[in-house]
């Protein structure tokens, strides 16, 4: 139904926007070094650059200048998030063409197929984002709770929660689009009854009978001269 598809499009587009924001964000993992409020220092790390700031308002970011020196899990998360954003974009385009309330996309049958394809693409986009964010979060938590890890420990950043929320919205929107196809198959079709062929004589007899029923009777003719003889 069109209302279900509109709600699915809202979920999908909202999830796609959240995935874009999470991919571009630098707060995938954060840490705080503070002996006092004045000397507090915040460190943010994302998929593309590392940032640091302090309580005095100074903020500086340094991008990852090389690809081969970046750790493997970061490269994997990059690929998964780029795939999620790309799939979310194409899922939005397919959803616009497959909705009933739009005038593009062809016939109803073709629109149903396009809407189902949009739902599958949205679900794949959500799964890619969910995998990438979970992989990154697993690395952070493993290092944080490892007693033998002596380097700087980080905590989960806001971008991970935004990515998880966007993935959930994309999956919900995709499921709604896929189930909207079942509503099209349940719509009743108008049936016609076939009474068999009708001969010319029977049709003519029916027509004459109908004319006889519609022909008015004149009551004055019932009382003619022979009635008094």
């Amino acid at each position: 139904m069109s209302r279900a598809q509109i709600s699915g499009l809202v979920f999908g587009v909202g999830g796609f926007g959240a995935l874009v924001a999470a991919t571009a964000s630098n707060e995938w993992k954060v840490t705080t070094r503070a002996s006092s409020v004045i000397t507090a220092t915040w460190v943010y790390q994302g998929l593309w650059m590392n940032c640091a700031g302090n309580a005095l308002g100074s903020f500086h970011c340094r991008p990852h200048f090389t690809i081969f020196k970046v750790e493997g899990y970061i490269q994997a998360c990059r690929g998964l998030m780029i795939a999620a954003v790309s799939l979310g974009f194409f899922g939005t385009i397919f959803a616009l063409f497959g909705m009933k309330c739009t005038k593009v996309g062809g016939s109803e049958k073709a629109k149903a197929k396009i809407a189902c394809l949009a739902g599958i693409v949205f679900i794949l986009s959500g799964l890619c984002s969910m995998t990438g964010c979970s992989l990154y979060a697993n690395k952070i938590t493993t290092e944080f709770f490892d007693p033998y890890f002596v380097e700087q420990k980080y905590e989960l950043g806001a971008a991970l929660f935004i990515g998880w929320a966007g993935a959930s919205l994309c999956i919900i929107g995709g499921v709604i689009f896929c189930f909207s196809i079942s509503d099209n198959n349940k719509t009743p079709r108008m049936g016609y009854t076939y009474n068999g062929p009708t001969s010319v004589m029977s049709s003519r007899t029916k027509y004459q009978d109908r004319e006889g029923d519609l022909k008015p009777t004149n009551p004055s003719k019932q009382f003619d001269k022979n009635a008094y003889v």
Side-chain angles (χ1 to χ4, degrees):
M1 298 178 65
S2 60
R3 290 185 180 179
Q5 290 181 347
I6 291 174
S7 61
L9 180 64
V10 171
F11 280 111
V13 173
F16 170 67
L19 296 184
V20 173
T23 305
S25 177
N26 297 320
E27 298 186 14
W28 282 66
K29 59 181 179 180
V30 297
T31 185
T32 303
R33 303 172 183 174
S35 57
S36 65
V37 178
I38 299 176
T39 61
T41 302
W42 295 273
V43 179
Y44 306 95
Q45 289 192 11
L47 298 178
W48 314 102
M49 59 181 63
N50 301 331
C51 300
N54 54 30
L56 301 177
S58 177
F59 196 79
H60 179 72
C61 293
R62 180 177 60 85
H64 301 295
F65 293 103
T66 180
I67 299 177
F68 299 104
K69 290 184 179 181
V70 179
E71 297 184 31
Y73 76 97
I74 297 180
Q75 295 182 4
C77 292
R78 281 180 177 180
L80 289 170
M81 294 306 295
I82 291 174
V85 171
S86 301
L87 290 171
F89 173 77
F90 287 110
T92 304
I93 300 298
F94 291 150
L96 292 175
F97 278 90
M99 294 181 66
K100 293 181 180 180
C101 56
T102 58
K103 296 182 180 180
V104 293
S107 61
E108 293 293 332
K109 188 175 182 180
K111 278 179 170 290
K113 293 181 179 180
I114 296 174
C116 183
L117 178 61
I120 294 173
V121 172
F122 272 132
I123 292 174
L124 291 177
S125 175
L127 291 177
C128 288
S129 175
M130 190 75 70
T131 305
C133 294
S134 300
L135 178 63
Y136 202 97
N138 180 63
K139 181 67 175 180
I140 295 173
T141 53
T142 301
E143 293 178 352
F144 188 85
F145 292 104
D146 188 4
Y148 300 101
F149 187 76
V150 295
E151 297 182 6
Q152 179 63 44
K153 295 184 179 182
Y154 293 88
E155 297 180 3
L156 303 179
L160 291 174
F161 299 99
I162 296 174
W164 281 324
S168 301
L169 291 176
C170 286
I171 292 174
I172 293 172
V175 170
I176 291 174
F177 267 105
C178 290
F179 276 99
S180 67
I181 308 302
S182 61
D183 295 335
N184 296 333
N185 296 330
K186 293 179 181 179
T187 54
R189 296 181 178 180
M190 185 179 295
Y192 298 93
T193 58
Y194 178 69
N195 297 325
T198 305
S199 62
V200 178
M201 296 300 294
S202 60
S203 61
R204 184 178 300 176
T205 305
K206 289 181 180 180
Y207 179 74
Q208 291 177 356
D209 294 340
R210 186 177 302 173
E211 284 187 345
D213 295 337
L214 297 176
K215 188 175 181 180
T217 58
N218 192 359
S220 62
K221 292 183 179 181
Q222 296 178 2
F223 303 96
D224 53 357
K225 296 182 179 179
N226 296 327
Y228 299 96
V229 177

